[in-house]
Amino acid sequence: MRIYPNKEQSELMSRHFGSTRFVWNYFLAERKQSYLESKKSLSYYDNAQTLVALKKTDEFGWLKDVNSQSLQASVKDLDTAYGRFFKKQAMFPKFKKKGLCIDSFRCPQNAKIVNNKLQIPKFNPIKIKIHREIKGKILFVTISKTQTDKYFAAITCEVEYKPLPKSDKAIGIDLGIKSFAVCSDGIVFENIKTTKKYVKKLTYEQRQLSKKKKGSNNRSKQRKQTALVHEKIRNVRVDNIHKFTKQIVKDNSIIVIENLNVKGMVKNHNLAKAIADASWYETTRQFKYKSDWNDRNLVKIDRFFPSSKTCNVCNFINQNLTLEDREWTCLNCGTIHDRDLNASKNILKQGLKTLSGCGTQSELKQKHGEASVSNQSLRPMMPRQLAAG
Ligand SMILES: [Zn+2]
């Protein structure tokens, strides 16, 4: 939810952003050094103790000006990042550079909404725009500032969630570039047109940015301008994806999608393609948690499975299919296929096969050590993000 800190509050926020970033960087450096010098890995508790000692020194006494729990949360985040790295779930943690990462800090305790204002430790009540009722107990609040100088509070609550009614339907989804998604039941979700307009604008703004002198005032103004367009595209896009995933999860109990190559995405320089990749990533993320919440089965199939080339009627594989072929006729059974619809039907078939345990080793992705089926058990209470901004 958007918050509107006054001048004094935004200055205190800046100090929180800076201090939590400092803590992250300080302990990342310390952990690296300790490992280099003595092969000793420092734990969260080592870091937390050092933090207490640091605050007592003259040099780092300014750390006392900010909420101590936010600093501890930063140490905890670093520890989690290390944990994820060792479990091979994430890259090695990086230093946070000012201006290059999103400014944020977390208040893990004592956050409240009173009289339509947000109360967090060390701050006077902050003006907040509540656009959705806050249900349940507030677990923690993350304050962030966008590159366009907007402030947000993401409030995470513990709520009793009532899953959607059961469904007996299964669906396969082909996420594409031409259409946003084509489903095995024939429903097509188109890309939103507005994105195209903004992509044009973004290309223009980026070109302007590259012309501005480094370090100049004009450049920082232009950077903000570019960030605004980025933000607009993201908001429209994420909103649209929510509509899509909501409907799919409501109507189906088994949802099959292709496993995407996230690593390959980062290297993308084509803007339209990059946005499509980001959309796929977001779609997968939403499907994952919405399936968990609503007791749905999300099945991811190997993206090397030839979903476009295989005839969904007779399993004949059309080796001559090119990327340009939007329609093709099966040489074996004569069926005329729409490329994407046929793919989505194959994705569904393959997903059901995987679910029933008939898939091959490769299809079950055991060689990648990845789970194919999402967690089906539903905990009665779970944290729910209300607004990430
Ligand atoms: Zn056929």
Side-chain angles (χ1 to χ4, degrees), residues 310-316 328-335 337:
T310 309
C311 165
N312 79 75
V313 179
C314 72
N315 291 330
F316 172 80
W328 59 280
T329 306
C330 177
L331 288 178
N332 186 45
C333 73
T335 310
H337 292 297

Side-chain angles (χ1 to χ4, degrees), residues 17-18 20-34 36 74 78 81-82 91-103:
F17 296 140
T20 50
R21 186 169 52 232
F22 166 82
V23 163
W24 170 284
N25 288 340
Y26 184 92
F27 289 110
L28 176 55
E30 201 187 55
R31 278 180 181 235
K32 275 181 155 177
Q33 200 176 2
S34 160
L36 275 179
S74 189
L78 178 64
Y82 259 83
M91 305 277 275
F92 190 77
K94 280 191 191 131
F95 287 103
K96 292 187 175 174
K97 285 191 188 137
K98 192 176 179 214
L100 288 182
C101 59
I102 287 180
D103 280 333

Side-chain angles (χ1 to χ4, degrees), residues 41-96:
S41 301
L42 296 174
S43 70
Y44 166 71
Y45 294 98
D46 296 327
N47 291 163
Q49 268 181 342
T50 312
L51 177 62
V52 173
L54 271 186
K55 287 205 278 188
K56 289 180 183 151
T57 64
D58 287 342
E59 196 184 352
F60 301 111
W62 44 270
L63 286 172
K64 279 185 291 203
D65 298 346
V66 303
N67 181 359
S68 59
Q69 288 163 344
S70 300
L71 299 180
Q72 275 167 26
S74 189
V75 178
K76 188 95 221 168
D77 288 345
L78 178 64
D79 193 58
T80 310
Y82 259 83
R84 287 173 56 82
F85 168 71
F86 287 122
K87 279 189 220 148
K88 294 193 163 59
Q89 292 169 339
M91 305 277 275
F92 190 77
K94 280 191 191 131
F95 287 103
K96 292 187 175 174

Side-chain angles (χ1 to χ4, degrees), residues 191-298:
N191 280 308
I192 17 172
K193 300 238 159 41
T194 44
T195 317
K196 224 178 194 173
K197 185 179 94 192
Y198 286 120
V199 166
K200 239 182 185 170
K201 188 152 169 48
L202 187 58
T203 315
Y204 169 78
E205 300 289 359
Q206 280 179 339
R207 205 178 310 129
Q208 294 301 106
L209 182 65
S210 66
K211 282 181 194 162
K212 302 276 187 280
K213 221 171 98 191
K214 274 196 179 144
S216 71
N217 238 346
N218 276 339
R219 189 179 169 91
S220 81
K221 257 190 225 158
Q222 184 58 40
R223 189 177 301 120
K224 204 166 276 181
Q225 195 60 34
T226 315
L228 263 175
V229 186
H230 256 299
E231 190 177 272
K232 187 80 201 163
I233 293 179
R234 187 178 183 280
N235 289 348
V236 173
R237 198 166 53 75
V238 170
D239 217 49
N240 199 49
I241 296 172
H242 271 298
K243 279 182 206 142
F244 167 65
T245 55
K246 190 178 169 188
Q247 190 188 329
I248 297 288
V249 170
K250 184 175 148 275
D251 294 344
N252 300 279
S253 80
I254 297 170
I255 300 153
V256 191
I257 51 174
E258 281 180 300
N259 199 6
L260 297 164
N261 176 15
V262 181
K263 268 185 199 154
M265 291 176 179
V266 190
K267 292 170 200 139
N268 232 303
H269 293 298
N270 175 327
L271 202 55
K273 181 74 169 60
I275 289 172
D277 284 348
S279 296
W280 290 347
Y281 184 79
E282 175 64 19
T283 307
T284 309
R285 188 190 72 83
Q286 288 185 15
F287 270 142
K288 171 84 180 77
Y289 81 82
K290 288 181 188 180
S291 301
D292 282 349
W293 286 3
N294 296 292
D295 209 4
R296 280 8 186 192
N297 248 330
L298 177 68

